[in-house]
Amino acid sequence: TSRGDPSPNEMDAIFRMCKNNYWENVLNVLKSNTSFCEHKMVMSNNIETTILHQAITSKGDTVARTKVMNFILDCSPDTSPKLYNGYRSLPLHVICQRNTKLNSKTKEQLIRRLVEAYPEALNIAGGVGKRTPLHIIFTGMCRIITMVFSSSYKIKKSHIIS
């Protein structure tokens, strides 16, 4: 249910809940007022963020964070995936980074939901590096592929020498 736009003080309280990993409390607030799903809040460094961005980047309880992210995407599929944070990153940019602490199945499911909700986001450059979500994903993959081939080469080389 929606009870109107949240005040800056309410959004500040939600931000503190996110920061302190009180994800069950955040979920309860969202359930009582779904308009929170579509509003920005300001971090302590004066950069704007959203609950969805915070749930993605938090290092807290991944199960509770996933519930919050799915609830937001259920309540606000047309708006929340299109909200930028203060770094000009969409939620898709942020979740494509490797440091989300989410397991691969959960991360894949959330990426799929974000892409289905806003497919154009795949081609939007964002963030400090002005990269698309595809650039972000493949940058990580290239490092992994390079590492695998490099290790594989060393193994073969050492095997031949011995």
Side-chain angles (χ1 to χ4, degrees):
T1 54
S2 179
R3 292 186 331 206
D5 290 347
S7 72
N9 286 342
E10 289 174 312
M11 291 309 298
D12 185 54
I14 289 287
F15 174 72
R16 286 193 310 273
M17 284 185 226
C18 294
K19 201 75 176 147
N20 292 312
N21 295 309
Y22 297 144
W23 295 106
E24 294 296 331
N25 294 359
V26 171
L27 185 59
N28 289 332
V29 170
L30 294 175
K31 287 178 179 178
S32 71
N33 186 351
T34 57
S35 69
F36 279 85
C37 296
E38 299 178 354
H39 281 80
K40 294 185 179 183
M41 50 195 174
V42 179
M43 297 185 288
S44 52
N45 61 359
N46 293 320
I47 302 290
E48 286 187 327
T49 188
T50 68
I51 298 170
L52 184 56
H53 284 89
Q54 287 300 298
I56 293 168
T57 59
S58 171
K59 307 302 183 225
D61 181 348
T62 58
V63 173
R65 287 170 40 217
T66 301
K67 287 179 189 175
V68 168
M69 289 182 271
N70 279 314
F71 184 85
I72 291 170
L73 291 172
D74 288 342
C75 288
S76 179
D78 297 328
T79 304
S80 60
K82 297 176 183 177
L83 293 175
Y84 288 91
N85 66 13
Y87 298 107
R88 291 287 302 154
S89 294
L90 294 165
L92 186 59
H93 291 104
V94 178
I95 201 166
C96 287
Q97 297 171 12
R98 295 177 303 154
N99 60 353
T100 60
K101 305 296 183 209
L102 298 168
N103 69 47
S104 59
K105 183 178 178 181
T106 300
K107 187 172 178 176
E108 181 181 318
Q109 177 256 339
L110 289 164
I111 288 172
R112 186 179 315 264
R113 289 198 68 189
L114 287 164
V115 169
E116 287 170 357
Y118 190 30
E120 296 87 354
L122 286 170
N123 296 315
I124 296 175
V128 176
K130 299 194 181 349
R131 299 182 300 159
T132 69
L134 293 173
H135 288 125
I136 296 166
I137 287 173
F138 285 110
T139 299
M141 288 181 69
C142 289
R143 286 188 200 122
I144 293 168
I145 290 168
T146 301
M147 183 181 70
V148 168
F149 281 123
S150 144
S151 297
S152 172
Y153 173 76
K154 289 176 185 172
I155 291 168
K156 287 180 183 179
K157 186 176 177 181
S158 66
H159 180 69
I160 293 170
I161 292 173
S162 57

